[in-house]
Amino acid sequence: MHLRGGARERIETAAPSRQPGAWRARWLELATLVAAAATAVVCLTKVWPSPLALVPLLAVPPALAGIGARTILRPLAYGVVAAAAAVIVDAVLSGGITVTQGPHELPLATVGAVAVTTVLSAAAAIAADRRATPDQAEHELQIANVASVAEAAQRAVLRPLPEQLGPLKLGVVYLAAAAEARVGGDLYEVTYTETHGIRLIIGDVRGKGLGAVEVAADIIGRFREVAHGVGTLNEVAYRLDAGLSRRWGQYEEFVTALLAEIDPDRGKLTILNCGHPPPLLISPEDGVTVLEVRAPAPPLGLITLGSDAGAKQVYAFKPNDQLLLYTDGVTEARDASREFYPLDERVKALAPKAQPRMTKTGKLRANGSGPTLLDLVRDDLLRYVGAPPDDDAALLLVRAPAAWPGVPGAAR
């Protein structure tokens, strides 16, 4: 976890993906168990007049165990078990292990075949391990270098947000998909303007990698420029869309985005949705509300293909209300049962635990604040997924003050 200055802004990297080797070992064990059970059934029920013909199959497990093995322990273990099974078969035959002729020849030959396949598998594992060691070290170094460059690029784009902007409290969490992929197309920015209040954007670029970071950087840079001089959020969206089209070619790249404008003088919130997941409004009095619009506009880069007539909506942003913006990496995160993370339901359950204790005058009590809603949602999401997320995820939390400076008597 990396802490950055200003807002409580975190870039967190999930643990590396689980290695598939353990699963391959279990499948091999299962297959061996099934084969052994089938052999035992055939021999005990005497459904086949020549059950000993199955004994040479005991040489197969140590051969399979050597495939992809990095150490000799696995093929050796299978070889010992297979050889012991062949000896047991030989012992139960008439005359026991002291006889080497007749039906005893097949189990004894199997013991020799098992020994040969085990030695060959172990030798192959040793050779593979020696060959892989320098290659693995080089690969790990390359991953470290790529991760370092990618993280530096992302930090340059997603610069630290202030802990407070005007009367608003800000917090950000960014969850990267994997240690070797600390770079994605999620973006966010907040800026204070003289004539349009406080404006925000959160978005998600189509695709991943440094190309997505480049698009995100372009969107953030243009937003910082146009947010101050453009009159409405619709105009801001069209300026960002035009910039994408000029830079990348029409319809080559697109970005889902949620634009928001907060008027601190009147406690008013305006949102414009361009194909992005709707934000959540968390109110101490009204609970959790999903801020839907009548009809979202197409994503930036495609906005001229549709209409933005129903994409904007105005809401009251009351004192102590919180606005949670996020990317689809949050709501599309899945648990072990492949069920999506129910963000709005979880926020409803978590929000009461995050409400700070207030005095009658609307001020925060001393030692009255615990984990923020952002902390609780982050921890809950990671517990829900229980594994590295499949996509990057960003959460931006905005909290209104106990009283708007331009609204007399608005304090609670």
Side-chain angles (χ1 to χ4, degrees):
M1 179 176 72
H2 305 278
L3 296 179
R4 306 206 289 177
R8 293 200 295 180
E9 186 169 6
R10 307 171 181 87
I11 296 182
E12 303 193 13
T13 302
S17 302
R18 296 184 180 92
Q19 297 299 322
W23 287 105
R24 286 199 296 267
R26 293 189 183 98
W27 278 111
L28 180 56
E29 291 164 2
L30 179 60
T32 303
L33 181 61
V34 171
T39 303
V41 169
V42 170
C43 293
L44 294 175
T45 60
K46 299 180 181 180
V47 295
W48 189 17
S50 302
L52 285 178
L54 295 176
V55 175
L57 292 177
L58 292 172
V60 175
L64 294 178
I67 299 176
R70 296 289 183 178
T71 67
I72 65 173
L73 297 179
R74 190 174 170 207
L76 282 180
Y78 278 89
V80 170
V81 173
V87 171
I88 292 173
V89 171
D90 181 59
V92 298
L93 295 176
S94 178
I97 59 176
T98 60
V99 181
T100 58
Q101 297 179 345
H104 292 268
E105 294 179 354
L106 192 57
L108 294 176
T110 299
V111 173
V114 168
V116 172
T117 56
T118 301
V119 170
L120 292 176
S121 295
I126 294 174
D129 183 58
R130 290 178 178 175
R131 184 174 61 253
T133 300
D135 293 341
Q136 184 177 5
E138 182 178 356
H139 180 63
E140 291 176 352
L141 180 60
Q142 290 177 347
I143 289 177
N145 290 337
V146 171
S148 177
V149 172
E151 185 177 2
Q154 197 167 56
R155 283 175 177 270
V157 173
L158 301 177
R159 67 183 184 184
L161 297 181
E163 183 176 352
Q164 182 161 348
L165 187 63
L168 301 180
K169 296 285 188 179
L170 305 176
V172 175
V173 163
Y174 191 101
L175 297 174
E180 62 270 19
R182 294 182 187 175
V183 58
D186 291 4
L187 60 96
Y188 49 82
E189 180 60 295
V190 183
T191 186
Y192 182 89
T193 70
E194 293 293 336
T195 56
H196 306 295
I198 298 171
R199 285 180 164 176
L200 310 88
I201 184 173
I202 189 167
D204 189 359
V205 180
R206 179 182 70 91
K208 296 294 175 187
L210 292 177
V213 173
E214 189 175 358
V215 177
D218 185 61
I219 288 291
I220 292 176
R222 291 180 184 276
F223 175 78
R224 291 167 182 163
E225 178 183 353
V226 303
H228 293 271
V230 176
T232 67
L233 290 181
N234 301 71
E235 293 176 279
V236 173
Y238 274 97
R239 292 284 189 93
L240 298 177
D241 178 271
L244 267 181
S245 299
R246 285 195 301 268
R247 180 176 176 85
W248 301 100
Q250 199 168 18
Y251 314 139
E252 287 294 328
E253 297 289 349
F254 64 86
V255 181
T256 67
L258 192 289
L259 299 169
E261 181 179 287
I262 298 173
D263 185 349
D265 292 329
R266 292 186 291 171
K268 183 181 72 171
L269 167 67
T270 305
I271 65 170
L272 177 70
N273 194 323
C274 299
H276 199 77
L280 301 180
L281 180 64
I282 304 98
S283 171
E285 294 181 354
D286 304 325
V288 178
T289 305
V290 181
L291 301 186
E292 300 276 6
V293 297
R294 296 195 311 274
L300 304 178
L302 305 174
I303 199 169
T304 55
L305 299 180
S307 171
D308 65 340
K312 187 163 69 174
Q313 192 73 33
V314 179
Y315 298 91
F317 197 41
K318 303 174 185 177
N320 292 321
D321 279 359
Q322 297 180 90
L323 179 67
L324 181 62
L325 303 94
Y326 56 93
T327 59
D328 60 8
V330 176
T331 51
E332 293 182 0
R334 298 173 184 258
D335 62 4
S337 302
R338 307 303 296 164
E339 295 291 333
F340 290 116
Y341 181 69
L343 177 62
D344 53 340
E345 296 178 9
R346 298 305 303 146
V347 169
K348 289 178 182 178
L350 296 171
K353 303 177 183 179
Q355 293 296 339
R357 291 178 293 176
M358 312 297 293
T359 65
K360 293 182 179 180
T361 60
K363 295 182 179 180
L364 186 68
R365 290 184 184 273
N367 301 320
S369 61
T372 68
L373 180 60
L374 200 62
D375 297 325
L376 296 174
V377 173
R378 176 205 60 205
D379 295 342
D380 187 66
L381 175 62
L382 292 176
R383 282 193 301 267
Y384 183 88
V385 176
D390 295 329
D391 193 8
D392 293 351
L395 294 151
L396 171 60
L397 185 67
V398 181
R399 183 181 180 88
W404 290 111
V407 185
R412 291 178 179 161

